[in-house]
Amino acid sequence: MSLKGKTAIITGGSRGIGKACAIYLAKQGADIVFNYSNNSSMAEETADEIKNLGVKVQAVKADVKSSQDIDYLFNQALENFNSIDILVNNAGITRDTLLIRMKEEDWDTVLDINLKGVYLTCKAAAKHMMKKRQGRIINISSVVGITGNPGQANYAASKAGIIGFSKSIAKELAPRGILVNVVAPGFIDTDMTSVLGEKVKDNILSQIPLGRYGSPEDVAKLVTFLASDDNQYITGQVINIDGGMLM
């Protein structure tokens, strides 16, 4: 499953699932470009870790909800690597609260980063990939986008939106050889889940047949397969990686 000679852009690639995806893609030989929003020291550490795998890497400070920043991110990738073969949309945030307490800012910020960011990056990637008549786009959604979850109306809406958006562009881009898929993680052991209380964690674990949280590496291995040439006939699909929660 070699990705040597290919370039991957990963949004939110300095930590968590995004970092794991960047590392697994790099282990297969892909050169890596990832964006980060604020923490430059963490981005540098991640870049050094990837560089030690023997590939080229570039960390770019960019806001995924800004069209200007996305243009800058993709221009940097093309100037330094000459190609964009893989896009992994991982950047996302939560602003959890019940609907009646949810501020308009909480709604707008989550939808802008989680959904508008996917629109902007996919549009930028498609322009380049269509010329080459090949490419892989993997958008990270969530099982919450399928089931909903109390206190996460904004997050669930953004993740459900990713699913509908991805299915639509998969149909648009398939004739040009571009495969678009969605990975919907369940509860993954990241910074986002580490803040949950013990009672909440116990309740979640009781719903997972495998009896454990997933790891970022579990998600990264699936993403790497979907991004590779081993995947020739899967597009427009939503693949849950949730320990059996939704089966």
Side-chain angles (χ1 to χ4, degrees), residues 4-162:
K4 191 172 180 60
K6 296 185 181 294
T7 300
I9 293 181
I10 300 99
T11 67
S14 63
R15 63 179 184 173
I17 290 173
K19 178 180 178 179
C21 290
I23 288 172
Y24 266 82
L25 290 166
K27 284 181 176 179
Q28 301 303 319
D31 294 321
I32 303 296
V33 180
F34 68 89
N35 86 298
Y36 66 97
S37 55
N38 293 307
N39 195 328
S40 59
S41 60
M42 182 180 291
E44 289 173 7
E45 289 175 8
T46 299
D48 287 341
E49 190 172 344
I50 294 169
K51 192 180 298 181
N52 288 336
L53 296 172
V55 300
K56 293 182 286 184
V57 60
Q58 183 178 16
V60 180
K61 185 175 182 179
D63 181 352
V64 295
K65 66 181 185 296
S66 164
S67 58
Q68 290 82 5
D69 280 18
I70 293 304
D71 286 344
Y72 176 71
L73 172 65
F74 276 76
N75 286 337
Q76 285 292 298
L78 289 172
E79 285 178 13
N80 292 288
F81 300 94
N82 300 317
S83 178
I84 298 168
D85 306 286
I86 299 160
L87 170 64
V88 180
N89 271 308
N90 164 76
I93 64 165
T94 58
R95 293 281 179 87
D96 295 350
T97 189
L98 295 174
L99 175 64
I100 59 172
R101 298 175 185 166
M102 187 177 292
K103 297 177 182 177
E104 188 174 348
E105 179 187 357
D106 296 330
W107 175 270
D108 288 345
T109 302
V110 170
L111 269 291
D112 278 352
I113 292 175
N114 294 8
L115 185 55
K116 182 182 178 182
V118 171
Y119 151 72
L120 290 173
T121 53
C122 286
K123 184 177 180 180
K127 289 179 180 178
H128 180 74
M129 292 177 178
M130 287 174 71
K131 294 176 183 177
K132 298 180 63 178
R133 302 189 72 85
Q134 63 179 3
R136 301 287 188 274
I137 296 174
I138 301 98
N139 294 326
I140 307 297
S141 178
S142 168
V143 294
V144 172
I146 300 169
T147 65
N149 201 36
Q152 289 193 306
N154 49 1
Y155 183 76
S158 69
K159 294 302 185 177
I162 287 172

